[in-house]
Each structure stands twice: as structure tokens, then as C-alpha cells.
Amino acid sequence: VLNDPHYVDDDCGAYLAQAFEQMLSGPQFDFVLVCGDIATAGGKSELAGFKRATEAFGKPTYVVMGNHDWTEGGSRDGWLEVYGEETINYRFDHKGWTFLGIDSTEGTEWQEVTMQQEASDWLRRARADIARTRPLVCFTHTPLGEGVELRLVNADSVLELFSGHNLRHAFCGHLHGLTERRHGSAVLTTCRCLSRTRETHDGGDGKGYLLCRASDGAMAYEFVPFGPRG
């Protein structure tokens, strides 16, 4: 799981290529989740550059939008052209787990953000045909954990939508720092950014990503630091 790469140019592509090389040299994994702010100014060239980097990486990569993936004019046309409408709110199943990619953005707003009705309505519909015992993971941009800086204004209402279901983990971005909170049996996390152009928000030295292992209905994770060569 990675977040907030804030892609700008080919130098960012080279940075990510080294990060992906490190990932591939470590323990085996099946896919990558990206928790928003793929771009910096929401431009098509930035989004397409990140997509090229992940395609060269060769692992399935699942993305959600961040506030920086909109243009300052309030358009997500670049996102729709590069990633398509099907990546706004969606689900996929993998080895007995269901993963929910939820759009938490409110245009380019970066603080006091409220998840929009479209996303909440989609989540209500999506949960209807998911068995209550099936382990769930959601990934979104704006933090959900109680007391976490930049938390989604209506995070409690969003988490309530999982009531009666087996939410095990929520991976979030936006805050470039390591946080962990609990909500019932679910773990809610944010991670330091994996970005050449942006700094961490928690005072930590290392940027990086989360390496996750799911087994027996439980999700374990660890932070893996990354430092580019040269």
C-alpha cells in the first residue's frame, strides 16, 4: 500500500521505478493499493506518467482519487481519461477478501473534507450483497481514524456504514505520516508518502510503503522505508 506519490515529471518516474524495484526484491505480494494524490495538479500528463510507471512495474495496481487528482478548476477529466469512471468507487475480490476503493474527495478541498453523497450511496449498495462474515478492506484518500489530523468530517458516518460487516482494515492517505487507530475490530491507518517531491508530515526520516499480509481473516502490516539511490 502506498499513498501520495504526487507525480510531476519523469524524475518522479525514475524515483518510483527504484521503489518498485525494491518492492519486487522483497517478499512476494499480489498487488498494490494507491491511496490518492497520484498527481500534483491533476493534469493528464502527471496521471498518465504515474500509470506508465505502474504498468512498467508489472503488478496489478488499484487506485483511488485524492484532492490533488482534481485540477484547480475543479475538473477530474484527466482522471476519467487516464483511469476511467470505473475507478471512482469500486470493489474487487481476492482470495476470500473484498476490497473497496472509495472516493473520499470533495474536489480540491484538502481540509474539512466531507465524503460526498455519491460515494456513501455507492457503499450502501455495495455492502448489500457482501456476506457479513467476509473480511473487508477499504482504501481511500482522506483519513478515517479518530483524532487523526485532516480526518474526514463525516468519518463516523462512513464507518457506521460498515456496521454489521467484517471490516478488518482501512488504508488512507492525505496525511503523510504513520498513524494507527482502532474502530471495533478494524485497524485504520495512514502512511508516510512515497513521493520525490513532498515531505512527510510526522517528522519521520523515511518515506516508504506498507507491506501487508492477510491470513485467517486477519491483516498484518509493516512500514517499509525507501531511500532512492543517487
Side-chain angles (χ1 to χ4, degrees):
V1 181
L2 66 95
N3 57 273
D4 296 77
H6 287 278
Y7 193 101
V8 176
D9 53 27
D10 289 344
D11 289 339
C12 296
Y15 175 95
L16 289 167
Q18 289 188 33
F20 295 155
E21 181 182 352
Q22 176 178 308
M23 291 179 192
L24 292 170
S25 69
Q28 291 294 312
F29 60 97
D30 292 347
F31 57 85
V32 175
L33 306 180
V34 186
C35 299
D37 277 0
I38 286 170
T40 295
K44 177 184 173 183
S45 63
E46 296 174 343
L47 295 163
F50 182 83
K51 189 175 184 181
R52 285 195 301 272
T54 56
E55 287 173 343
F57 177 34
K59 287 286 188 177
T61 302
Y62 300 93
V63 298
V64 290
M65 290 190 74
N67 53 293
H68 280 271
D69 300 320
W70 293 75
T71 66
E72 282 298 326
S75 171
R76 61 182 182 186
D77 288 349
W79 181 277
L80 295 175
E81 186 169 349
V82 173
Y83 283 109
E85 181 76 32
E86 62 272 18
T87 63
I88 300 299
N89 294 293
Y90 65 105
R91 60 175 280 188
F92 67 93
D93 298 325
H94 185 77
K95 295 183 177 179
W97 288 66
T98 292
F99 294 79
L100 304 165
I102 307 171
D103 176 24
S104 65
T105 60
E106 189 178 0
T108 58
E109 295 296 326
W110 64 275
Q111 58 182 345
E112 299 298 316
V113 174
T114 299
M115 183 179 287
Q116 297 300 287
Q117 193 67 44
E118 175 187 359
S120 297
D121 289 346
W122 175 84
L123 180 53
R124 287 187 183 91
R125 295 192 301 270
R127 68 181 184 177
D129 67 342
I130 299 175
R132 290 179 176 268
T133 56
R134 187 176 179 87
L136 305 180
V137 171
C138 75
F139 59 109
T140 192
H141 183 59
T142 317
L144 293 172
E146 185 175 0
V148 174
E149 188 178 357
L150 302 176
R151 188 190 191 214
L152 198 67
V153 169
N154 58 341
D156 289 335
S157 297
V158 173
L159 291 169
E160 182 62 27
L161 293 174
F162 290 99
S163 179
H165 284 77
N166 188 21
L167 180 66
R168 305 304 304 174
H169 207 114
F171 294 105
C172 307
H174 199 37
L175 181 68
H176 304 176
L178 292 167
T179 68
E180 177 183 296
R181 300 291 190 272
R182 298 275 172 166
H183 180 81
S185 60
V187 178
L188 320 176
T189 57
T190 65
C191 185
R192 294 176 187 158
C193 59
L194 185 62
S195 173
R196 184 186 70 85
T197 60
R198 299 298 176 108
E199 297 303 318
T200 60
H201 292 159
D202 64 358
D205 294 331
K207 299 177 184 180
Y209 51 91
L210 301 179
L211 177 64
C212 308
R213 300 175 178 84
S215 63
D216 299 324
M219 177 76 71
Y221 74 96
E222 63 180 289
F223 174 72
V224 181
F226 168 68
R229 303 184 301 272

